[in-house]
Amino acid sequence: MADQDTFFRVDGLTKHYPVKRDVRRLAGKPKVVHALDDFTLELTPGRTVAVVGESGSGKSTVARLMARLETPTAGRIVLAGKETQPRRRAAVRGYRREVQLTLQDPYASLNPLRTVAYILERPLRIHGMASGRAEIERRSIELLEQVHLTPAEQFLRKRPNELSGGQRQRVSIARALAVEPRILIADEPVSMLDVSVRLSVLNLFRELVVEKSLALVYITHDIASARYFADDIVVMYAGQILEAGPAEEVTQQPTHPYTQLLLSAAPDPEARRRGPRQRFAGTGEAPSLIDPPVGCRFRPRCPHAMESCLEQPPRRHVDPAHWAACWLLDPDEAEQSTQSPAPSAA
């Protein structure tokens, strides 16, 4: 991406959580959970980036760090060309007006004792987006209409328990839009919704990205939905990025074995027409993030694992916008992998 188009960037974002029980039991250096290591991402208005990976890969940690709900262990966040270090309350409020987060469970993220009118009123008052009862009500109605909850006047008087899952998620999205953010982070926004309403919520996100020129971060474990919904895909595993690039290239020409594993497990509606597809042979479980594997973290599960995988693989570009961190992109190492049998997964 060209620098003039990049509105938001995170460089080398890292988050380690201390394991407190080891501090009491061990006299040596305290252990930490390597939840996220060296995460880099660029966002531009009007584009959607999907962060894909299995549970425990660090996706939600990325969301919490980007929303400034937690402080990173290392790395920097650059917003509109300025590095953000919001320590004071006013600075944090200004940052969160630009970057909003919608969570996985809409019922847990909404106060069950308050009406929708109150839920939308709070951000409008706190950030000075509207004042006066009439103006706040008018703005709240506009927000509900933007997320297709009509007639809006009826929804204002309801509480979260009186709404369906899809309606609650739309209220959560409307609350995020109340402060007119330029970046929206959606953390598994449809995973707890009925299958029948998931597509409508994803279409709503797509509509908002186009109409409001938002930069959207779509966090999901479902690479099938990311393939059709996002412009770019970032594939994460055990706290690290393994592959990234345009959605079409990453899903049609996956380079990293882990991306191939995710795609082989994703439902394919055209599989019957094309015939049975090749299944990926990866086995085993995700590693411990307290004591992660040396070198490539996917090595214990990878059927192509070789001696060089004991070292951290560099990022190698398949083309200018598509890269992967895998030794198989080195011609010499790829030849070695084809000549020697893959070790069994631990």
Side-chain angles (χ1 to χ4, degrees), residues 113-134:
L113 303 179
R114 297 294 186 176
T115 62
V116 172
Y118 180 87
I119 291 171
L120 298 180
E121 175 185 342
R122 290 295 293 164
L124 291 173
R125 287 190 180 276
I126 290 174
H127 292 272
M129 306 302 296
S131 61
R133 179 64 57 185

Side-chain angles (χ1 to χ4, degrees), residues 222-225 227 261-269 277 279:
D222 181 12
I223 197 171
S225 66
R227 169 170 29 189
L261 170 63
L262 290 179
L263 289 169
S264 71
D268 186 357
R277 59 182 172 178
R279 286 288 178 178

Side-chain angles (χ1 to χ4, degrees), residues 194-233:
D194 292 339
V195 176
S196 59
V197 299
R198 290 182 181 182
L199 183 59
S200 63
V201 173
L202 289 180
N203 286 335
L204 171 62
F205 276 113
R206 177 176 293 174
E207 178 184 313
L208 294 172
V209 167
V210 174
E211 291 183 356
K212 296 184 173 296
S213 192
L214 290 173
L216 176 65
V217 180
Y218 173 52
I219 295 175
T220 180
H221 63 273
D222 181 12
I223 197 171
S225 66
R227 169 170 29 189
Y228 299 106
F229 177 65
D231 298 299
D232 304 288
I233 290 180

